[in-house]
Amino acid sequence: MKRIGLLSDTHGFIHPRLFAFFENVDEIWHSGDFGNIEIADRLADFRPLKGVYGNIDGQDVRVVYPLHERFKCEDVNVWMTHIGGYPGRYEKYVMPEIFRHPPDLFISGHSHILKVMFDKKLNFLHMNPGAAGLKGFHKVLTALRFVVDGKNMRDLEIWEMEKPKKLVHEL
């Protein structure tokens, strides 16, 4: 059994309260747009980190994290990428692979919209944790926490926090 913390689109900022939400996770997964390598390093110092780079990430992040990450967690085949779409609207560059070798869990970011939905056609779960950072149109910071137990994914929890209107040095 593994407890997973999932976030995306930090854009160079992590709210300190998010670390409390991730306190009991075994791993953190970041689905792109870290913003800078320092954010990745802070997360990796806190818990083991898996991640992919996003469209705003520079070379500092891209040399460490890939565009796509396919891996097994327990008995779950996971595919994480930043710009991937969602059931019925996958990005063109992931479509051939997603139909040829569908994962059990497909994770993307980019949209800043929290979405968890099952793809009935391809028989897998899709997760987008929304945006945990300050930059973007979203009004609420979001992240996910869940358990992978064998082939099962369960106990999904959502972290939500109103986006601060004014940022005082370090919250």
Side-chain angles (χ1 to χ4, degrees), residues 71-91:
F71 58 95
K72 286 275 264 207
C73 179
E74 295 276 309
D75 296 324
V76 174
N77 182 331
V78 181
W79 181 3
M80 183 166 50
T81 193
H82 184 60
I83 303 174
Y86 55 91
R89 300 198 60 140
Y90 296 111
E91 289 295 320

Side-chain angles (χ1 to χ4, degrees), residues 13 15 134 139 141 161-167 171:
F13 174 81
H15 198 287
L134 298 176
K139 294 182 181 351
L141 309 181
M161 187 180 148
E162 187 175 333
K163 189 193 245 183
K165 293 179 182 21
K166 194 175 183 183
L167 184 61
L171 294 171

